[in-house]
Amino acid sequence: MATEEELFANIDALLEEEPQLPPPAERARLREAAGITQARLAQALKSTVQTVKNYENGRSEPKSPRLEAYQRLLKGWAAKYPAHGTLTAAASAAAQTEVPETFTSPAASAPEATTAAAPVQAPAAPERSARPTARPATSSRRPAAKKAAAPALDPRFPHGPLAVLDGEGSAYGVDGIVLDCPATTIPELVEWTLRESGLGAPKLNRYGKDSDPLIVLTAVAAARFGLPERLEDRRGLRLSEDHPVIKQITKAKWQLTQRGFGPWPRIYRKAQGRDRQCVQLAILPWNALDERSWPGVAGMEPADIARVLGIYAQRVITPRGATAVNGLELMTALRPPTRPVRDEETGNWVSGHNPGSLGTEPMDPAPPEGQPEHPAIYHSGWKGGFLHEEAYQWVRSVDLLTDEECTLPYAVGLDLNTAFLAAAARLTVGLSAPDHFHAPKFNPKIPGSWLVDLSHVELDPRLPSPFTPTGERPTGPAWYQTHTVAYAQELGYNVAPIEAYLRRETGAYLDPWHDRLKTAYVDTLADLGVTKDLTDAEFLAAMLRHKDVDPAMAAVLAAIKMTVKGGIGKLFENPQGKGYKDGDPWPAMQRPTWRPDIRAAVISKARVNMHRKLLNMAKMTGFYPLAVLSDCVVYPSPSPSPLDFLPYSASGKPQPGGFRLGPTPGLAKLEGVQELLWAVDLMEKGYNPARLIKGGDAVLDDGE
């Protein structure tokens, strides 16, 4: 029989063993419950994303000292997010008592109770009869370019996420496959898609939903199904209720969403148990793929359209509408509002809030974050002013041009790659309702809106003010987002908020969205020959020809950029239509993703990032901008190349802090070159040369 000393020795040996980690699947669950991406965790652990992936799929284990740090993190998450989905008593108490420094001020209003979440619907693959045999596409027009890496095949969706129908019953899918589609009516097409096509895509988050299959109808295919060449209702952009196709859909007991049968109709039946029955259509002759977002795609052959949309679906999301819609849908797909949690009283699994998401209910903005026509603001009689965080539209006064600048022959435009996407990286935003505070102490870590007087901040007049979209110096107190006020503090000026609307619950909501779109953008540029390993001169040369390398991939790149811009824009969508009356609700504001405060945070950070670069450029090179429009800046230059005025060290490396050339979000590319006299002439006439620096009839977008 073992003695007490032997037993104690055995126990001591166990205590001295390496810390034990939870199973790999539990590690991933805890990270997702905390709302942290693999990229952010890798940064915290000073490791790589692939290493974190290996930890979470069991391929490798961390070594000391990373092991102890990782274990400590997982223990903390496990206490806050136990497997049954409820907070422990200690974590709950901490959540109620831990208040940031700013919240020691008296609150003018208390947060309202959280609304109950919608029921969980766990989607599963619909039962299908024998699927049509796939055959390779034979289009001779298909460009022979680098193929996108294929994702792991989901056995439920063997033929990919989508197909493009021609007028002869052939459905062109990804990777060159062609399916035979015998359908002659829209209801038959929906049935074939759900039961025989093998189309669809798996969910992007374990708590999300699988992507509905997408069927794209070419003009010939649309005519085959009895659809008109163009929509007569140009305002509503939908078929009339008495159209034969609508009657067919109704008779077959299928339904349409509230947007009706327009360029992107969604046809569905109520879910049968766990089976989701929904098909997304895109009608090409009705401008479903508009030229601005998908340049040249609508006129391509079906096989090439399928290639473009398939790569976009693989890297971003299966298209569900315009690129702006896709940008918003991607946010929700990566941060689903609900997850299953166990009811402690009944033991049943019910729908609960998914930490880090925006929830299932819309949220009224703080008065300065909305607009006068919003019902909550209109009926309150708010007269306190509004937040005006917008992108730059600034032109330097011609009187401030120096003699030395006027002798330079060129004006060179630099454009920041997806500036709004770069600003979304590691951006902390508010997740809960706003609380009102009087005379709070400024805290740069708390997202919200602050009423501050920044008119005392003096900067070089050859630079735009960082506090206003026009670049003009503020004249008195105004509402600013946290990043704008923090930048004034960064510049060394005192800030004393008069009042503020702040949010207690915060998180990096856009992190997964940023990470996925950044990877998509960089990978697509690489497919076009623009890679991270190029020198600056090689990068400029590659960017000059990248659109000609492969028009299909160039279209994917354009769609990714418009997804970023449109997704941010839709966070603050205004009422539309001639019949709208101030004070009435409108559809967009009734979405949980209608969040003007989050849009303001992104734009504020993007504008501050731009000004910081402008200021550092002036310090390092002595060059000052002629004009700025959103993410494009125009400089006077001694040559047509930005290499002659960008800051480089003696060894030839780019100096940190200023503008740098490169293919990743936030780095710069050449936008265009013109003669300096051309730019000065526009400035004298009150026009912004950054808008037309590209040449021709190009007009720069207000940001990406």
Side-chain angles (χ1 to χ4, degrees):
M1 187 172 178
T3 65
E4 183 179 76
E5 285 128 0
E6 289 174 332
L7 291 173
F8 274 39
N10 291 340
I11 294 300
D12 290 340
L14 288 175
L15 290 173
E16 291 175 1
E17 286 185 6
E18 286 189 343
Q20 297 299 304
L21 297 171
E26 177 66 0
R27 303 171 198 174
R29 184 194 72 80
L30 290 171
R31 176 184 54 75
E32 291 182 0
I36 302 299
T37 65
Q38 290 177 329
R40 192 172 180 193
L41 177 54
Q43 186 180 35
L45 292 175
K46 297 194 179 301
S47 185
T48 65
V49 174
Q50 186 58 53
T51 299
V52 171
K53 289 180 179 178
N54 290 343
Y55 294 167
E56 294 183 356
N57 60 30
R59 292 180 181 173
S60 67
E61 296 291 334
K63 302 297 182 184
S64 186
R66 192 171 285 118
L67 172 63
E68 289 76 14
Y70 191 34
Q71 185 200 40
R72 181 180 181 183
L73 177 65
L74 293 174
K75 280 185 175 180
W77 282 344
K80 296 175 75 174
Y81 312 109
H84 53 70
T86 57
L87 285 173
T88 62
S92 179
Q96 295 176 11
T97 57
E98 269 189 29
V99 179
E101 184 178 9
T102 292
F103 294 126
T104 55
S105 303
S109 61
E112 296 181 2
T114 304
T115 309
V120 170
Q121 289 185 349
E127 294 182 5
R128 299 186 178 97
S129 57
R131 295 189 177 113
T133 304
R135 50 190 169 88
T138 57
S139 170
S140 60
R141 298 178 182 85
R142 183 172 180 180
K146 180 179 177 182
K147 205 172 186 180
L153 185 66
D154 189 309
R156 298 172 299 156
F157 313 117
H159 297 148
L162 55 88
V164 181
L165 278 182
D166 65 9
E168 300 175 355
S170 294
Y172 293 78
V174 298
D175 295 327
I177 66 169
V178 184
L179 307 174
D180 293 316
C181 176
T184 58
T185 67
I186 293 296
E188 288 177 359
L189 175 61
V190 172
E191 294 280 359
W192 174 84
T193 303
L194 289 174
R195 308 199 179 282
E196 299 181 40
S197 71
L199 296 173
K203 55 195 174 186
L204 298 180
N205 181 287
R206 65 175 62 194
Y207 302 129
K209 299 175 182 177
D210 294 331
S211 288
D212 299 321
L214 169 64
I215 300 294
V216 181
L217 301 185
T218 60
V220 181
R224 181 186 181 196
F225 287 104
L227 297 174
E229 185 177 346
R230 67 190 299 272
L231 286 172
E232 296 300 327
D233 181 3
R234 303 309 298 164
R235 182 177 296 278
L237 289 178
R238 61 177 65 192
L239 282 181
S240 61
E241 293 296 322
D242 59 353
H243 192 278
V245 169
I246 302 296
K247 292 180 179 179
Q248 290 173 359
I249 293 171
T250 304
K251 185 177 179 180
K253 294 183 169 36
W254 288 98
Q255 294 178 272
L256 292 164
T257 58
Q258 289 185 352
R259 61 184 177 182
F261 201 106
W264 288 90
R266 191 172 297 179
I267 305 174
Y268 72 98
R269 280 181 184 152
K270 188 176 181 181
Q272 299 293 322
R274 296 170 62 89
D275 289 347
R276 181 175 171 87
Q277 301 182 88
C278 186
V279 173
Q280 177 74 65
L281 302 182
I283 318 298
L284 293 189
W286 298 353
N287 200 32
L289 299 179
D290 66 282
E291 184 67 18
R292 189 180 179 199
S293 299
W294 302 93
V297 177
M300 292 180 178
E301 294 295 317
D304 300 322
I305 297 172
R307 176 173 175 245
V308 170
L309 297 181
I311 294 172
Y312 179 89
Q314 173 200 329
R315 296 181 177 181
V316 182
I317 193 172
T318 303
R320 303 179 186 183
T323 47
V325 172
N326 297 337
L328 206 61
E329 292 277 358
L330 181 62
M331 294 180 195
T332 304
L334 293 169
R335 292 273 203 201
T338 61
R339 63 169 181 163
V341 297
R342 189 181 293 279
D343 188 313
E344 292 301 311
E345 294 183 2
T346 65
N348 296 328
W349 288 93
V350 297
S351 179
H353 175 64
N354 187 22
S357 75
L358 297 183
T360 59
E361 296 296 323
M363 184 183 297
D364 285 341
E369 294 169 352
Q371 65 266 70
E373 57 267 37
H374 189 282
I377 299 169
Y378 180 82
H379 295 297
S380 72
W382 172 259
K383 302 294 182 184
F386 293 93
L387 198 67
H388 191 49
E389 296 286 10
E390 299 294 341
Y392 269 132
Q393 294 196 48
W394 170 83
V395 179
R396 199 205 311 181
S397 170
V398 177
D399 296 337
L400 296 176
L401 292 175
T402 65
D403 292 340
E404 184 180 358
E405 286 176 321
C406 291
T407 62
L408 297 174
Y410 295 99
V412 175
L414 294 176
D415 180 65
L416 297 183
N417 302 321
T418 55
F420 290 168
L421 184 61
R426 316 300 172 246
L427 176 68
T428 301
V429 300
L431 300 177
S432 57
D435 288 338
H436 189 194
F437 295 88
H438 293 286
K441 181 179 179 181
F442 178 67
N443 187 332
K445 295 183 179 180
I446 300 177
S449 301
W450 310 76
L451 182 61
V452 189
D453 188 350
L454 298 178
S455 61
H456 62 288
V457 178
E458 293 190 18
L459 295 172
D460 193 308
R462 291 173 291 178
L463 294 175
S465 166
F467 310 127
T468 64
T470 61
E472 297 177 358
R473 183 172 174 174
T475 57
W479 289 97
Y480 302 100
Q481 201 276 334
T482 298
H483 284 89
T484 304
V485 184
Y487 187 56
Q489 201 173 59
E490 178 185 323
L491 293 173
Y493 292 89
N494 180 51
V495 295
I498 301 167
E499 58 180 306
Y501 285 89
L502 309 175
R503 287 169 167 81
R504 296 176 183 272
E505 185 183 345
T506 65
Y509 171 71
L510 293 173
D511 262 11
W513 187 82
H514 163 271
D515 293 350
R516 186 168 178 85
L517 284 169
K518 176 184 176 181
T519 300
Y521 180 81
V522 172
D523 287 353
T524 307
L525 263 181
D527 287 337
L528 292 167
V530 186
T531 56
K532 296 179 182 179
D533 58 347
L534 299 177
T535 65
D536 283 0
E538 291 170 339
F539 168 76
L540 291 173
M543 286 300 296
L544 281 175
R545 61 177 182 269
H546 79 283
K547 291 183 180 180
D548 300 324
V549 171
D550 182 348
M553 292 304 298
V556 175
L557 183 69
I560 292 170
K561 292 163 64 175
M562 293 300 287
T563 301
V564 173
K565 178 191 172 185
I568 296 300
K570 268 197 167 292
L571 291 169
F572 191 17
E573 200 170 0
N574 289 311
Q576 300 175 4
K578 290 184 178 180
Y580 177 77
K581 295 181 180 179
D582 289 355
D584 289 344
W586 63 94
M589 61 158 280
Q590 296 172 313
R591 299 188 313 247
T593 49
W594 189 84
R595 291 295 301 273
D597 58 300
I598 295 181
R599 176 184 178 274
V602 172
I603 296 178
S604 168
K605 185 178 175 184
R607 198 180 66 245
V608 164
N609 286 348
M610 172 65 85
H611 191 276
R612 189 181 288 111
K613 287 180 169 60
L614 297 173
L615 185 60
N616 288 336
M617 277 285 293
K619 292 177 180 177
M620 290 187 287
T621 67
F623 280 89
Y624 288 83
L626 300 175
V628 184
L629 181 66
S630 187
D631 45 18
C632 179
V633 55
V634 176
Y635 276 100
S637 173
S639 82
S641 173
L643 298 177
D644 289 330
F645 67 85
L646 289 177
Y648 291 91
S649 66
S651 62
K653 293 184 178 180
Q655 292 277 44
F659 292 100
R660 295 177 56 188
L661 300 175
T664 55
L667 297 187
K669 60 181 179 290
L670 180 64
E671 179 67 12
V673 181
Q674 300 287 343
E675 292 183 355
L676 183 67
L677 291 178
W678 169 90
V680 173
D681 182 55
L682 286 177
M683 294 164 68
E684 288 177 335
K685 294 177 180 177
Y687 296 117
N688 192 324
R691 189 176 295 279
L692 296 168
I693 190 71
K694 203 167 188 174
D697 57 358
V699 177
L700 193 74
D701 294 329
D702 293 338
E704 292 178 355

